[in-house]
Structure formats: structure tokens, C-alpha cells
Amino acid sequence: MQQLCLSQSGLPKQKRLENEGTAGKHYEAGASHAGELQQAQEELAQIEVTGTSGGGLVEVVMTCRHDVRRIKIDDSLVSDDKEVLEDLIAAAVNDAVRRVEQASQEKMSGLTSGLNIPGLNIPGGL
């Protein structure tokens, strides 16, 4: 008759040790992935994109953290209607935001491609 040594969880001791080893490997992989994710976020903060409107008459330079670095307005717009200028600035900011989202998605998709968590609808597989 073979005796089994059961743990508090009710699993045989050998099976419990196997589960702990697997959990430890997942934890290590997650910790490594978290470091890569942090590094990618820091790199994204340094990436600048340029949004434009009015055929390039207004340009907005923004980081992938959504920080606006500078706005460039063509001299021909300074004498135009104020509302037209405001609309063009808003359009350029919106264009920059879309470009930030695209650059962020491209950067992060490489990191998240290995993670396949059911129920999450994040581009790249996270």
C-alpha cells in the first residue's frame, strides 16, 4: 500500500511542489515582462510625433505621453479669422493624438505579443 503525503491544500506533496515551481516560473516571467514594459513606457515618453492640419499650416509636436512640446503656426494664419486658427490648432492636436496612439500601439505590440490573456482586447495580444 502506497502512502501519500498530503499538503494543507489536499494535494500530494510532489504535486504541490510542481505547482509551486510552475507558479515561480510565471512570477519570474511576469517580473521580467514588467521591467520590459517600464522600459518601453520610458522610451515612449521620449518619442515625438507631429500632427498637422490645414495642409501643414499648423503643426503640433507631442510626445507619446501626450505632452505638447511645441506648436508651429504659419504666418499667413496670424491675420486670419481667430476661429479658423482655433479649429486648425484643435485639428492638429487631434492628429498628433492619433499618431501617438499608433506609435504607442506599435511599440507595445512587441512586448505584449507573447501574453495571451483571455477577455482582454488589447492590440498585440495582451
Side-chain angles (χ1 to χ4, degrees):
M1 176 180 214
Q2 183 181 4
Q3 268 191 327
L4 290 176
C5 179
L6 297 178
S7 67
Q8 289 179 343
S9 66
L11 292 174
K13 189 173 184 180
Q14 180 63 35
K15 188 66 175 171
R16 184 185 54 125
L17 292 174
E18 288 173 10
N19 288 346
E20 287 175 1
T22 302
K25 290 177 186 174
H26 287 296
Y27 176 78
E28 288 173 10
S32 171
H33 212 69
E36 292 173 4
L37 188 59
Q38 177 67 30
Q39 181 180 354
Q41 289 173 336
E42 290 170 4
E43 290 173 9
L44 281 171
Q46 301 303 314
I47 295 174
E48 290 184 348
V49 299
T50 302
T52 61
S53 68
L57 295 175
V58 175
E59 292 182 1
V60 173
V61 178
M62 178 183 288
T63 68
C64 285
R65 283 186 42 191
H66 296 96
D67 295 330
V68 175
R69 291 279 169 96
R70 64 187 161 276
I71 297 175
K72 217 168 124 179
I73 301 170
D74 189 89
D75 290 337
S76 66
L77 293 175
V78 177
S79 62
D80 271 354
D81 184 12
K82 179 182 173 193
E83 287 183 28
V84 171
L85 182 57
E86 290 169 345
D87 290 344
L88 288 172
I89 291 171
V93 169
N94 291 334
D95 185 50
V97 168
R98 283 189 291 280
R99 291 172 190 261
V100 162
E101 290 168 355
Q102 181 181 4
S104 297
Q105 183 178 20
E106 289 171 3
K107 182 74 172 171
M108 300 306 273
S109 68
L111 289 174
T112 60
S113 63
L115 297 177
N116 203 3
I117 301 173
L120 291 181
N121 188 16
I122 298 175
L126 175 66

